[in-house]
Amino acid sequence: MRLQQHVALVTGAGGGIGRAISEAFAREGAFVGVTDLDGDAAEEVSEAIRNHGGAALGLGMDVTDEASVESAVERVHRERGRLDCVMANAGIQHIDPLEQLDFADWRKVLAVHLDGAFLVTRAALQRMYADGRGGVMLYMGSVHSKEASPLKAPYVSAKHGVAGLCRAVAKEGAAHGVRSNLICPGFVRTPLVEQQIPQQAQELGISEEEVVRNVMLRNTVDQEFTTLEDVAELAVGLAAFPSNALTGQSVVVSHGWHMQ
Ligand code: NAD
């Protein structure tokens, strides 16, 4: 058990990667604040964790809403009187060429990824600094924190922005024992990815199979999707890393799609 006594909070944890990370944190002994825009989904995940002998609290939280973030972070902190690790994971995708992109869609994607990561960071740092125990901030980046793809300008911009926030936290947090790292997955088959396969096929005028083979997996070393387990294992490893030597870094888990 690598996270015993830890209190963790995961955003966007009602499904997909956030759910897998919440379950992995709980298996390693952490108490997990499972939060999501969809409060019922968050409660369902936390119930599943408790049914497997873990400890979790499910809460509705919209990462773009200051009051909602403040109240959920406060609730999780109050539950055990500490907060050791936050995984800022909530995210959305939007597929459109730049010249047709609505300002509202641009803003929505940036709000969830970037405003959301900032609000959760501020609420968490206030408590970690006040408690004096240090902590771990983890951010869900992407290979799109490192490079671009067509049709995903807001997502690519937001994921590059999150990389900057992660480094800023590493610089400022060091004096308080807070470290900060970015997880950069390649494609993982979650609803976020399933939705964009038909959308990309239509935009690019190719079949869905070609989107998977020639767009999503083309540059991997083995034409394989990254799995939920791969990403969750990395998150546990970063959360449990025993010193502040590993901070301000980004770790790419993408079957070699991006090599740095
Ligand atoms: P997903 O759609 O399965 O899950 C995203 C979750 O975020 C959902 O449960 C959704 O309800 C929640 N969410 C959306 N808006 C929110 C808001 N305003 N407040 C709180 N929660 C909100 O997607 P996923 O694939 O699990 O993605 C999780 C993260 O991983 C995202 O940041 C995504 O960009 C990133 N990522 C995914 C992939 C991939 O291939 N799936 C690759 C790299 C990075």
Side-chain angles (χ1 to χ4, degrees):
M1 296 260 231
R2 287 173 281 176
L3 298 175
Q4 258 174 345
Q5 313 298 331
H6 283 227
V7 173
L9 182 149
V10 184
T11 72
I17 294 174
R19 176 178 186 144
I21 291 175
S22 298
E23 291 174 343
F25 280 180
R27 277 196 302 277
E28 296 291 339
F31 171 87
V32 188
V34 178
T35 70
D36 199 280
L37 182 62
D38 180 343
D40 291 339
E43 181 45 43
E44 201 183 304
V45 172
S46 77
E47 202 179 313
I49 288 174
R50 290 193 298 272
N51 289 341
H52 283 86
L57 173 69
L59 292 170
M61 169 166 94
D62 178 354
V63 296
T64 67
D65 182 294
E66 208 171 349
S68 172
V69 170
E70 185 53 33
S71 117
V73 174
E74 172 55 25
R75 178 76 183 80
V76 172
H77 181 263
R78 192 164 12 104
E79 189 69 21
R80 297 281 163 108
R82 58 191 290 164
L83 183 60
D84 302 282
C85 174
V86 169
M87 172 81 246
N89 166 77
I92 57 172
Q93 180 58 279
H94 183 86
I95 303 294
D96 249 331
L98 266 164
E99 75 281 7
Q100 290 168 25
L101 185 61
D102 283 344
F103 190 28
D105 291 325
W106 165 269
R107 281 186 154 165
K108 193 173 169 196
V109 175
L110 263 74
V112 175
H113 291 276
L114 211 43
D115 296 357
F118 160 66
L119 290 174
V120 172
T121 298
R122 188 180 60 183
L125 291 184
Q126 285 167 353
R127 283 149 185 101
M128 288 173 179
Y129 290 2
D131 292 346
R133 274 194 212 92
V136 178
M137 293 299 306
L138 297 176
Y139 296 90
M140 191 53 68
S142 162
V143 166
H144 287 113
S145 301
K146 307 278 179 187
E147 47 183 273
S149 293
L151 308 176
K152 295 184 177 175
Y155 186 85
V156 169
S157 304
K159 288 302 192 192
H160 277 67
V162 171
L165 175 65
C166 173
R167 292 185 187 129
V169 172
K171 293 273 183 186
E172 289 191 24
H176 303 271
V178 174
R179 61 176 179 272
S180 163
N181 289 296
L182 183 75
I183 297 172
C184 298
F187 284 103
V188 183
R189 281 204 100 137
T190 64
L192 181 131
V193 161
E194 296 294 349
Q195 277 164 21
Q196 60 182 280
I197 295 173
Q199 289 169 343
Q200 289 217 49
Q202 197 183 353
E203 289 284 350
L204 298 170
I206 57 178
S207 71
E208 294 188 16
E209 194 193 304
E210 284 170 320
V211 170
V212 170
R213 198 179 56 239
N214 299 339
V215 178
M216 294 182 163
L217 303 181
R218 189 184 61 195
N219 292 324
T220 60
V221 294
D222 52 9
Q223 284 67 55
E224 299 246 0
F225 278 97
T226 302
T227 66
L228 292 171
E229 293 73 23
D230 294 328
V231 182
E233 177 58 30
L234 178 58
V236 168
L238 289 173
F241 194 81
S243 82
N244 290 338
L246 188 58
T247 192
Q249 304 305 306
S250 51
V251 185
V252 181
V253 53
S254 71
H255 284 261
W257 166 15
H258 179 86
M259 299 191 191
Q260 50 183 2

Short mmCIF file of all heavy atoms in Angstrom, two decimals, residues 219-258:
data_model
loop_
_atom_site.label_atom_id
_atom_site.label_comp_id
_atom_site.label_asym_id
_atom_site.label_seq_id
_atom_site.Cartn_x
_atom_site.Cartn_y
_atom_site.Cartn_z
N ASN A 219 1.59 7.24 -34.85
CA ASN A 219 2.96 7.50 -34.41
C ASN A 219 3.37 6.73 -33.16
O ASN A 219 4.45 6.96 -32.62
CB ASN A 219 3.15 9.00 -34.18
CG ASN A 219 3.08 9.75 -35.51
OD1 ASN A 219 3.54 9.25 -36.53
ND2 ASN A 219 2.47 10.93 -35.49
N THR A 220 2.51 5.81 -32.69
CA THR A 220 2.94 4.98 -31.56
C THR A 220 3.94 3.95 -32.08
O THR A 220 4.00 3.68 -33.29
CB THR A 220 1.75 4.23 -30.92
OG1 THR A 220 1.15 3.39 -31.91
CG2 THR A 220 0.71 5.19 -30.38
N VAL A 221 4.69 3.33 -31.17
CA VAL A 221 5.68 2.36 -31.61
C VAL A 221 5.04 0.99 -31.90
O VAL A 221 5.63 0.15 -32.58
CB VAL A 221 6.82 2.17 -30.57
CG1 VAL A 221 7.62 3.45 -30.43
CG2 VAL A 221 6.26 1.73 -29.22
N ASP A 222 3.82 0.78 -31.38
CA ASP A 222 3.21 -0.54 -31.51
C ASP A 222 1.73 -0.52 -31.89
O ASP A 222 1.02 -1.51 -31.77
CB ASP A 222 3.39 -1.31 -30.20
CG ASP A 222 2.90 -0.47 -29.00
OD1 ASP A 222 2.28 0.58 -29.22
OD2 ASP A 222 3.14 -0.89 -27.85
N GLN A 223 1.22 0.66 -32.31
CA GLN A 223 -0.18 0.82 -32.70
C GLN A 223 -1.15 0.38 -31.61
O GLN A 223 -2.19 -0.23 -31.85
CB GLN A 223 -0.50 0.07 -34.03
CG GLN A 223 0.03 0.77 -35.27
CD GLN A 223 1.56 0.79 -35.30
OE1 GLN A 223 2.17 -0.27 -35.22
NE2 GLN A 223 2.16 1.96 -35.40
N GLU A 224 -0.80 0.70 -30.38
CA GLU A 224 -1.65 0.33 -29.24
C GLU A 224 -2.17 1.57 -28.53
O GLU A 224 -1.45 2.57 -28.41
CB GLU A 224 -0.84 -0.47 -28.22
CG GLU A 224 -0.28 -1.76 -28.77
CD GLU A 224 -0.89 -2.97 -28.10
OE1 GLU A 224 -1.74 -2.80 -27.21
OE2 GLU A 224 -0.52 -4.08 -28.50
N PHE A 225 -3.41 1.47 -28.02
CA PHE A 225 -3.93 2.51 -27.14
C PHE A 225 -3.23 2.42 -25.79
O PHE A 225 -2.88 1.32 -25.33
CB PHE A 225 -5.44 2.32 -26.91
CG PHE A 225 -6.30 2.88 -28.02
CD1 PHE A 225 -6.77 2.06 -29.03
CD2 PHE A 225 -6.63 4.23 -28.05
CE1 PHE A 225 -7.56 2.57 -30.06
CE2 PHE A 225 -7.42 4.75 -29.06
CZ PHE A 225 -7.88 3.92 -30.07
N THR A 226 -3.05 3.57 -25.15
CA THR A 226 -2.64 3.59 -23.74
C THR A 226 -3.87 3.16 -22.94
O THR A 226 -5.00 3.42 -23.35
CB THR A 226 -2.19 5.02 -23.37
OG1 THR A 226 -1.11 5.38 -24.25
CG2 THR A 226 -1.71 5.12 -21.94
N THR A 227 -3.67 2.47 -21.81
CA THR A 227 -4.82 1.98 -21.05
C THR A 227 -5.06 2.81 -19.79
O THR A 227 -4.17 3.55 -19.33
CB THR A 227 -4.61 0.51 -20.62
OG1 THR A 227 -3.52 0.48 -19.69
CG2 THR A 227 -4.32 -0.39 -21.80
N LEU A 228 -6.26 2.65 -19.25
CA LEU A 228 -6.59 3.31 -17.97
C LEU A 228 -5.60 2.88 -16.89
O LEU A 228 -5.16 3.69 -16.07
CB LEU A 228 -8.01 2.90 -17.54
CG LEU A 228 -9.16 3.43 -18.41
CD1 LEU A 228 -10.46 2.75 -17.99
CD2 LEU A 228 -9.27 4.94 -18.30
N GLU A 229 -5.26 1.60 -16.91
CA GLU A 229 -4.34 1.06 -15.89
C GLU A 229 -2.96 1.70 -16.01
O GLU A 229 -2.32 2.00 -15.01
CB GLU A 229 -4.20 -0.47 -16.03
CG GLU A 229 -5.47 -1.26 -15.71
CD GLU A 229 -6.56 -1.14 -16.78
OE1 GLU A 229 -6.24 -0.84 -17.95
OE2 GLU A 229 -7.74 -1.32 -16.44
N ASP A 230 -2.48 1.91 -17.26
CA ASP A 230 -1.18 2.55 -17.45
C ASP A 230 -1.16 3.93 -16.79
O ASP A 230 -0.20 4.30 -16.10
CB ASP A 230 -0.89 2.78 -18.95
CG ASP A 230 -0.72 1.49 -19.74
OD1 ASP A 230 -0.22 0.51 -19.18
OD2 ASP A 230 -1.08 1.49 -20.95
N VAL A 231 -2.22 4.70 -17.04
CA VAL A 231 -2.25 6.08 -16.53
C VAL A 231 -2.42 6.08 -15.01
O VAL A 231 -1.75 6.85 -14.30
CB VAL A 231 -3.38 6.88 -17.21
CG1 VAL A 231 -3.38 8.33 -16.72
CG2 VAL A 231 -3.23 6.85 -18.73
N ALA A 232 -3.27 5.19 -14.50
CA ALA A 232 -3.50 5.13 -13.05
C ALA A 232 -2.22 4.71 -12.32
O ALA A 232 -1.90 5.25 -11.25
CB ALA A 232 -4.64 4.17 -12.74
N GLU A 233 -1.48 3.78 -12.90
CA GLU A 233 -0.24 3.32 -12.26
C GLU A 233 0.78 4.47 -12.18
O GLU A 233 1.47 4.64 -11.17
CB GLU A 233 0.34 2.14 -13.07
CG GLU A 233 1.66 1.60 -12.59
CD GLU A 233 1.64 1.11 -11.13
OE1 GLU A 233 0.58 0.67 -10.66
OE2 GLU A 233 2.71 1.19 -10.47
N LEU A 234 0.84 5.27 -13.24
CA LEU A 234 1.75 6.41 -13.22
C LEU A 234 1.32 7.43 -12.16
O LEU A 234 2.15 7.98 -11.43
CB LEU A 234 1.78 7.06 -14.61
CG LEU A 234 2.65 8.32 -14.74
CD1 LEU A 234 4.10 8.03 -14.37
CD2 LEU A 234 2.57 8.86 -16.17
N ALA A 235 0.00 7.65 -12.06
CA ALA A 235 -0.49 8.62 -11.07
C ALA A 235 -0.14 8.15 -9.65
O ALA A 235 0.29 8.95 -8.82
CB ALA A 235 -2.00 8.80 -11.21
N VAL A 236 -0.31 6.86 -9.37
CA VAL A 236 0.04 6.33 -8.05
C VAL A 236 1.53 6.53 -7.79
O VAL A 236 1.94 7.00 -6.73
CB VAL A 236 -0.35 4.84 -7.93
CG1 VAL A 236 0.28 4.23 -6.68
CG2 VAL A 236 -1.86 4.66 -7.91
N GLY A 237 2.34 6.21 -8.79
CA GLY A 237 3.80 6.34 -8.63
C GLY A 237 4.20 7.77 -8.33
O GLY A 237 5.04 8.03 -7.45
N LEU A 238 3.59 8.72 -9.03
CA LEU A 238 3.93 10.13 -8.80
C LEU A 238 3.41 10.61 -7.44
O LEU A 238 4.06 11.38 -6.75
CB LEU A 238 3.36 11.00 -9.92
CG LEU A 238 4.06 10.85 -11.29
CD1 LEU A 238 3.29 11.63 -12.36
CD2 LEU A 238 5.51 11.32 -11.23
N ALA A 239 2.21 10.13 -7.07
CA ALA A 239 1.64 10.54 -5.77
C ALA A 239 2.50 10.00 -4.62
O ALA A 239 2.64 10.64 -3.59
CB ALA A 239 0.20 10.04 -5.65
N ALA A 240 3.06 8.81 -4.81
CA ALA A 240 3.79 8.14 -3.72
C ALA A 240 5.28 8.45 -3.72
O ALA A 240 5.99 8.05 -2.80
CB ALA A 240 3.59 6.63 -3.84
N PHE A 241 5.76 9.13 -4.75
CA PHE A 241 7.21 9.38 -4.84
C PHE A 241 7.69 10.02 -3.54
O PHE A 241 7.10 10.98 -3.06
CB PHE A 241 7.53 10.27 -6.05
CG PHE A 241 9.00 10.28 -6.38
CD1 PHE A 241 9.55 9.24 -7.11
CD2 PHE A 241 9.83 11.31 -5.94
CE1 PHE A 241 10.92 9.23 -7.40
CE2 PHE A 241 11.19 11.31 -6.23
CZ PHE A 241 11.73 10.27 -6.96
N PRO A 242 8.76 9.50 -2.95
CA PRO A 242 9.07 9.87 -1.57
C PRO A 242 9.80 11.19 -1.35
O PRO A 242 10.06 11.54 -0.21
CB PRO A 242 9.95 8.70 -1.10
CG PRO A 242 10.57 8.17 -2.34
CD PRO A 242 9.62 8.42 -3.45
N SER A 243 10.17 11.92 -2.38
CA SER A 243 10.87 13.18 -2.11
C SER A 243 10.47 14.23 -3.12
O SER A 243 9.77 13.96 -4.10
CB SER A 243 12.39 12.97 -2.17
OG SER A 243 12.81 13.03 -3.52
N ASN A 244 10.96 15.46 -2.86
CA ASN A 244 10.65 16.57 -3.77
C ASN A 244 11.64 16.66 -4.94
O ASN A 244 11.67 17.65 -5.66
CB ASN A 244 10.65 17.89 -3.00
CG ASN A 244 9.46 17.98 -2.06
OD1 ASN A 244 8.46 17.28 -2.28
ND2 ASN A 244 9.55 18.79 -1.03
N ALA A 245 12.45 15.60 -5.12
CA ALA A 245 13.38 15.61 -6.25
C ALA A 245 12.62 15.61 -7.58
O ALA A 245 13.07 16.20 -8.56
CB ALA A 245 14.30 14.40 -6.19
N LEU A 246 11.46 14.94 -7.57
CA LEU A 246 10.68 14.84 -8.81
C LEU A 246 9.58 15.90 -8.78
O LEU A 246 8.50 15.69 -8.23
CB LEU A 246 10.07 13.43 -8.90
CG LEU A 246 9.37 13.03 -10.19
CD1 LEU A 246 10.28 13.15 -11.39
CD2 LEU A 246 8.84 11.61 -10.09
N THR A 247 9.88 17.06 -9.33
CA THR A 247 8.87 18.13 -9.36
C THR A 247 9.04 18.97 -10.62
O THR A 247 10.14 19.06 -11.18
CB THR A 247 8.95 19.00 -8.09
OG1 THR A 247 7.79 19.83 -8.03
CG2 THR A 247 10.20 19.88 -8.06
N GLY A 248 7.93 19.53 -11.08
CA GLY A 248 7.95 20.36 -12.29
C GLY A 248 8.17 19.55 -13.55
O GLY A 248 8.52 20.10 -14.60
N GLN A 249 7.94 18.24 -13.48
CA GLN A 249 8.20 17.36 -14.62
C GLN A 249 6.91 16.96 -15.33
O GLN A 249 5.84 17.00 -14.75
CB GLN A 249 8.93 16.09 -14.16
CG GLN A 249 10.21 16.35 -13.43
CD GLN A 249 11.16 17.23 -14.24
OE1 GLN A 249 11.48 16.91 -15.38
NE2 GLN A 249 11.59 18.33 -13.65
N SER A 250 7.08 16.54 -16.57
CA SER A 250 5.94 15.95 -17.28
C SER A 250 6.36 14.54 -17.71
O SER A 250 7.48 14.35 -18.20
CB SER A 250 5.54 16.79 -18.47
OG SER A 250 6.65 17.08 -19.27
N VAL A 251 5.49 13.59 -17.48
CA VAL A 251 5.80 12.21 -17.83
C VAL A 251 4.81 11.76 -18.91
O VAL A 251 3.60 11.82 -18.73
CB VAL A 251 5.69 11.28 -16.60
CG1 VAL A 251 6.12 9.87 -16.98
CG2 VAL A 251 6.54 11.81 -15.46
N VAL A 252 5.38 11.35 -20.05
CA VAL A 252 4.54 10.98 -21.19
C VAL A 252 4.33 9.47 -21.18
O VAL A 252 5.29 8.69 -21.12
CB VAL A 252 5.21 11.40 -22.52
CG1 VAL A 252 4.32 11.02 -23.70
CG2 VAL A 252 5.48 12.90 -22.54
N VAL A 253 3.08 9.05 -21.23
CA VAL A 253 2.72 7.63 -21.23
C VAL A 253 1.86 7.40 -22.47
O VAL A 253 0.67 7.61 -22.46
CB VAL A 253 2.04 7.24 -19.88
CG1 VAL A 253 0.85 8.12 -19.55
CG2 VAL A 253 1.65 5.78 -19.83
N SER A 254 2.52 7.04 -23.60
CA SER A 254 1.81 7.13 -24.88
C SER A 254 2.24 6.08 -25.90
O SER A 254 2.04 6.27 -27.10
CB SER A 254 2.06 8.51 -25.50
OG SER A 254 3.40 8.63 -25.94
N HIS A 255 2.84 4.97 -25.45
CA HIS A 255 3.35 3.97 -26.40
C HIS A 255 4.30 4.60 -27.42
O HIS A 255 4.27 4.25 -28.60
CB HIS A 255 2.20 3.23 -27.11
CG HIS A 255 1.53 2.21 -26.24
ND1 HIS A 255 1.80 0.87 -26.30
CD2 HIS A 255 0.63 2.36 -25.25
CE1 HIS A 255 1.08 0.23 -25.38
NE2 HIS A 255 0.36 1.11 -24.73
N GLY A 256 5.09 5.54 -26.93
CA GLY A 256 6.12 6.12 -27.79
C GLY A 256 5.62 7.11 -28.83
O GLY A 256 6.40 7.55 -29.68
N TRP A 257 4.33 7.48 -28.76
CA TRP A 257 3.83 8.48 -29.72
C TRP A 257 4.69 9.73 -29.64
O TRP A 257 5.17 10.24 -30.64
CB TRP A 257 2.35 8.77 -29.43
CG TRP A 257 1.77 10.00 -30.09
CD1 TRP A 257 2.31 10.72 -31.13
CD2 TRP A 257 0.55 10.65 -29.75
NE1 TRP A 257 1.49 11.77 -31.45
CE2 TRP A 257 0.41 11.75 -30.62
CE3 TRP A 257 -0.45 10.41 -28.80
CZ2 TRP A 257 -0.70 12.61 -30.57
CZ3 TRP A 257 -1.55 11.27 -28.76
CH2 TRP A 257 -1.66 12.35 -29.64
N HIS A 258 4.88 10.22 -28.42
CA HIS A 258 5.76 11.37 -28.23
C HIS A 258 6.96 10.93 -27.40
O HIS A 258 6.79 10.35 -26.33
CB HIS A 258 5.03 12.50 -27.52
CG HIS A 258 5.92 13.69 -27.29
ND1 HIS A 258 6.09 14.68 -28.24
CD2 HIS A 258 6.72 14.02 -26.25
CE1 HIS A 258 6.94 15.57 -27.77
NE2 HIS A 258 7.34 15.20 -26.58
#
